[in-house]
């Protein structure tokens, strides 16, 4: 049995990833969830990922790696900590940030892409990641914050959260976006409200497909 340790900062992401694991054909029970919302709260209070917080996240990721075949950080705000870990002291198993597969898939299309973020602290790390994943210099790329979306999420108002994301998706498509990427894993819950042919990409399925390839090839 493979073991994928998932580090979450948003309550409810466990359910999203369990469904994504089932959809991608991963073995039942292979995901092991650790939920630490205090990490995201610290980032939000500091205006983003600080060096001290990055070190804390790396320590958690390393601890999880001792009992897993792969580690997946599902928080886009904290994603750069994975890159720092892999640069500074790479471990013997895959340690991935959930949005890297999303950025790679979106930018590989070479289409005009709009990336939507629900919270302010995700905007800059997301913009940098997508820029680094750009394959064609002339490809149009824009990163946008959805006003009020995260407030709705924190208040537990999933209906309003979904409405604001869907409205932002529709606006981006109306304005000519050929691909829309939802930067945060929690945003993927709106997929069930979008047409099957909608050019909207989300991160949980893409990240788990990437891990499936790495671990079961």
């Amino acid at each position: 049995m493979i073991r994928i340790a998932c580090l979450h900062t948003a309550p409810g992401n466990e359910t999203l990833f369990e469904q994504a694991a089932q959809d991608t054909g991963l073995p039942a029970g292979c995901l092991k969830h650790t939920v630490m919302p205090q990490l995201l709260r610290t980032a939000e209070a500091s205006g983003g990922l600080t060096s001290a917080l990055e070190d804390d996240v790396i320590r958690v990721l390393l601890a999880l790696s001792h009992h897993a075949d792969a580690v997946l950080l599902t928080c886009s705000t904290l994603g750069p900590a994975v890159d720092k870990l892999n640069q500074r002291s790479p471990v013997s198993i895959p340690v991935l940030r959930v949005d890297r597969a999303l950025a790679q898939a979106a930018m590989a299309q070479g289409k005009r892409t709009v990336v939507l973020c629900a919270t302010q602290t995700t905007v800059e790390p997301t913009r940098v990641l997508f820029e680094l994943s750009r394959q064609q210099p002339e490809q149009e790329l824009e990163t946008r914050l959805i006003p009020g979306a995260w407030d709705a999420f924190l208040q537990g108002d999933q209906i309003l959260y979904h409405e604001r994301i869907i409205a932002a998706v529709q606006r981006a498509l109306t304005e000519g976006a050929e691909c829309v990427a939802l930067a945060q894993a929690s945003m993927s819950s709106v997929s069930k409200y979008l047409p099957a042919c909608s050019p909207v990409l989300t991160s949980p399925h893409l990240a788990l497909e990437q891990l499936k390839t790495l671990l079961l090839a």
Side-chain angles (χ1 to χ4, degrees):
M1 169 70 74
I2 64 171
R3 296 164 299 171
I4 300 173
C6 297
L7 176 58
H8 308 291
T9 61
N13 272 4
E14 310 101 293
T15 302
L16 289 176
F17 279 85
E18 286 293 341
Q19 184 61 57
Q22 180 178 331
D23 294 343
T24 54
L26 283 166
C30 73
L31 301 187
K32 308 301 178 185
H33 304 284
T34 299
V35 186
M36 300 183 69
Q38 67 271 26
L39 295 174
L40 181 56
R41 287 198 296 267
T42 299
E44 291 175 331
S46 304
L49 180 63
T50 64
S51 296
L53 178 57
E54 188 172 63
D55 288 341
D56 288 342
V57 175
I58 287 174
R59 281 192 285 271
V60 175
L61 295 172
L62 286 172
L64 292 175
S65 73
H66 296 153
H67 308 284
D69 300 300
V71 179
L72 179 64
L73 175 60
T74 70
C75 177
S76 298
T77 293
L78 307 180
V82 171
D83 300 330
K84 180 63 70 65
L85 170 60
N86 287 325
Q87 293 165 6
R88 189 170 74 186
S89 54
V91 296
S92 59
I93 65 170
V95 180
L96 305 182
R97 54 188 289 183
V98 71
D99 49 357
R100 182 168 295 281
L102 174 69
Q104 291 170 342
M107 301 314 290
Q109 296 184 25
K111 298 178 178 180
R112 181 184 179 188
T113 299
V114 171
V115 190
L116 299 176
C117 303
T119 182
Q120 180 65 56
T121 55
T122 294
V123 173
E124 183 59 15
T126 296
R127 185 194 65 77
V128 171
L129 176 63
F130 274 74
E131 287 287 354
L132 291 173
S133 301
R134 186 199 295 263
Q135 297 185 10
Q136 302 175 24
E138 69 278 6
Q139 183 178 1
E140 292 186 56
L141 173 64
E142 181 183 356
T143 304
R144 299 178 180 177
L145 175 66
I146 305 174
W150 199 241
D151 288 339
F153 181 86
L154 292 176
Q155 292 165 9
D157 192 339
Q158 285 290 308
I159 294 176
L160 182 58
Y161 184 54
H162 291 158
E163 287 177 348
R164 289 184 169 164
I165 295 171
I166 292 169
V169 168
Q170 292 172 337
R171 177 186 173 191
L173 294 175
T174 298
E175 293 175 350
E178 299 170 291
C179 173
V180 176
L182 304 184
Q184 291 159 247
S186 62
M187 302 170 75
S188 67
S189 57
V190 305
S191 297
K192 57 189 174 185
Y193 303 114
L194 299 173
C197 59
S198 178
V200 178
L201 299 179
T202 59
S203 59
H205 289 76
L206 290 167
L208 291 180
E209 284 283 5
Q210 189 174 68
L211 279 173
K212 180 181 177 182
T213 299
L214 289 171
L215 297 174
L216 299 178

